[in-house]
Amino acid sequence: MYQTSVRHVLASFALLTGAALVATPTSADPDRTPPPGGVYKLKPGIFVAQGVSCGNPPNVAIRRYDGKGISSAHSRACIARILSKRRSGYGSLYRVSQSCIDAGAGPAKRVVERQTIDIPDALNFTIRSQGNTTYRYCPIRELPARLRAAG
């Protein structure tokens, strides 16, 4: 009798566990985007200025990290070269020389800019050399359609 009760409890538990897995909402799906990495160890994708919604950010508030550099709506193919790196709180403070094509699209010259980037973790950064603007990572599902392919 005891073994039968245990079997029934285990079978019920297995059914409930399976039902819970099937009922899991899609928002709980695992993140299939690339992990943090590259020159800054940030999560590749779209970042928006702190306080700006991921759902409809203006171009001026958007930055894109592709593992090589941080571009804006008016630059692309950015490549950051680290000049120095030191610990800063829980993260790192980088002094870099970043070269970018100075246009969002079409032909343009490459420009070089020195920047100071503070990276406390893989989902946030502050560009100290541009007025201390802080940016946060936006998951693809929160971005407007125009930015999903870029994320």
Side-chain angles (χ1 to χ4, degrees), residues 40-114:
Y40 294 125
K41 309 296 184 252
L42 287 167
K43 179 129 178 97
I46 301 295
F47 288 74
V48 299
Q50 197 71 33
V52 174
S53 167
C54 292
N56 192 23
N59 282 346
V60 70
I62 300 168
R63 295 294 179 270
R64 180 176 179 264
Y65 176 67
D66 63 2
K68 297 176 185 172
I70 297 171
S71 59
S72 70
H74 303 291
S75 65
R76 68 179 190 279
C78 296
I79 301 169
R81 185 172 54 90
I82 298 172
L83 303 173
S84 69
K85 176 183 171 184
R86 68 178 173 88
R87 298 288 301 158
S88 171
Y90 293 108
S92 297
L93 185 66
Y94 294 83
R95 280 188 47 252
V96 301
S97 174
Q98 178 168 271
S99 113
C100 299
I101 296 176
D102 195 23
K109 65 180 182 171
R110 188 168 277 280
V111 296
V112 177
E113 179 181 15
R114 289 195 182 234

Side-chain angles (χ1 to χ4, degrees), residues 7-24:
R7 279 190 215 141
H8 285 288
V9 168
L10 290 175
S12 296
F13 179 76
L15 287 172
L16 288 173
T17 302
L21 289 174
V22 170
T24 302

